[in-house]
Amino acid sequence: MSEIPTLPVTFRPGRTRAVLLTAGVAIFVVITAVAALLEKLGPGERLSFVFTAALIAGVLALLARVKVVADESGVTVVNIVSKRRLDWAEIIQVNLRPGDPWVFLNLSDGTSLPALGIQPGIAKQRAIADARALRALVEARTTRDLP
């Protein structure tokens, strides 16, 4: 069994997040600079360049917001555009199989919830360790909650 982390704990893809946020800022700066330097552009066209840059940076920021937060009362899964709060008893199993893009939580209602905050993308070993830690937390919390 994996070591149980101290609560509260937040799992997020740190390297992926850094890459996405850095790329978002860089893209915004470059496109805005291009808009400012192109002399033939009118004010509306410059504004459309800046708006497009902000839109791209915003999408990258949404992709970077994913996380899984575990605390004493349960788990909060923050995905790209959704956020869901789960009690410990609702989580039956934590899965990260070879080839999975992220962790899946099997829930007591028979559904599965993707938890994008733990993904093997750039840092595979970190994702495996995080999945094991979350699994250990679920096992410890659901065993403790049994009558």
Side-chain angles (χ1 to χ4, degrees), residues 116-139:
L116 280 64
I118 303 175
Q119 51 182 268
I122 296 174
K124 184 177 181 179
Q125 294 308 314
R126 173 62 187 234
I128 291 169
D130 287 351
R132 286 181 178 151
L134 182 58
R135 183 178 300 127
L137 281 167
V138 168
E139 289 172 359

Side-chain angles (χ1 to χ4, degrees), residues 3-25:
E3 184 178 322
I4 300 174
T6 305
L7 294 176
V9 63
T10 300
F11 303 103
R12 66 173 67 216
R15 290 183 190 167
T16 301
R17 179 178 164 85
V19 168
L20 289 169
L21 292 175
T22 302
V25 169

Side-chain angles (χ1 to χ4, degrees), residues 38-52:
L38 290 176
E39 297 172 7
K40 294 184 179 183
L41 293 181
E45 293 169 318
R46 288 182 201 278
L47 187 59
S48 70
F49 267 69
V50 174
F51 177 76
T52 301

Side-chain angles (χ1 to χ4, degrees), residues 54-123:
L55 186 64
I56 293 169
V59 168
L60 293 175
L62 278 175
L63 292 171
R65 78 185 279 260
V66 299
K67 63 183 174 180
V68 177
V69 180
D71 59 33
E72 290 295 332
S73 61
V75 175
T76 302
V77 178
V78 179
N79 286 333
I80 296 169
V81 294
S82 66
K83 180 178 180 179
R84 183 163 175 194
R85 179 73 185 163
L86 301 165
D87 291 329
W88 287 109
E90 291 180 78
I91 305 170
I92 303 298
Q93 189 177 31
V94 177
N95 286 319
L96 180 60
R97 297 175 299 255
D100 280 351
W102 40 71
V103 162
F104 289 91
L105 304 177
N106 292 339
L107 306 179
S108 59
D109 65 1
T111 63
S112 181
L113 177 68
L116 280 64
I118 303 175
Q119 51 182 268
I122 296 174

